[in-house]
Every structure is written in C-alpha cells, then in structure tokens.
Amino acid sequence: AHRVVGQTSRTPPQPAPAAMPEVPMWKQGRLAKESETSKMIYNYFLKRNSSYVATIFAIAVVGGITFDKIMDSAWRAHNKGKLWPDVKDKFGGEE
C-alpha cells in the first residue's frame, strides 16, 4: 500500500463534542418567540418544496386574476362613454 507523505496510519483521537447551549449567548434576547400563526404558515405552506411551489402558483394565479379585474375596472371607469357597450345604442348595434 502506498502512504501519502504526512499521513499516519492511525487517526488521532477526536475530542468529545462540547455540550451546545440551546441558544448561543450572542443571540439570547435578540430573537422574538415565533407566533403560532407563523408556525402554522410555515408548516402548511413552506415546509415541503411541493407545498411551497403549490403556494407560489396559487398566489400567482389569484394575484393575476385580481390584478386583471382591477385594471379592467379602472380602464372601464377611465374610458366611460367611449367603449362599445356605452355607444352601441347610438349606432344601432345589436350585440
């Protein structure tokens, strides 16, 4: 067997890991306790990649439909009197 220079045949003993405090000293008092609402949102919508992606898609679809309806309403309000439903009676439209 070939030996690499500087490597010994036996590994040195590893020190036992020190007991870790629950929260590091520098973090104590800085983080607020999580609310039940944020825990619920995380557990149901963000914990797994599949539920996270589904949440993003649902928000995008609902947001897109909402934005479209708001912009359509604003367009109709801004152009009131100029759109076909408003002027069709003047031109004898049957639509």
Side-chain angles (χ1 to χ4, degrees):
H2 295 106
R3 256 177 77 176
V4 177
V5 176
Q7 204 177 38
T8 60
S9 59
R10 290 183 285 161
T11 58
Q14 298 294 323
M20 297 293 291
E22 263 189 56
V23 178
M25 290 296 280
W26 62 273
K27 277 188 181 179
Q28 286 182 356
R30 293 182 184 211
L31 301 176
K33 184 169 171 36
E34 285 185 78
S35 69
E36 291 301 316
T37 305
S38 67
K39 285 181 186 178
M40 188 269 308
I41 289 171
Y42 174 76
N43 285 330
Y44 287 113
F45 301 110
L46 305 175
K47 193 171 188 177
R48 291 180 311 279
N49 187 49
S50 58
S51 60
Y52 178 74
V53 170
T55 300
I56 296 299
F57 277 123
I59 290 171
V61 168
V62 171
I65 291 169
T66 303
F67 180 79
D68 186 46
K69 292 208 179 274
I70 290 171
M71 289 297 110
D72 192 42
S73 174
W75 178 264
R76 288 182 186 275
H78 181 71
N79 292 303
K80 188 164 182 74
K82 301 176 197 171
L83 301 173
W84 178 247
D86 301 332
V87 297
K88 69 180 174 183
D89 294 333
K90 291 181 184 176
F91 298 104
E94 296 296 321
E95 224 177 287

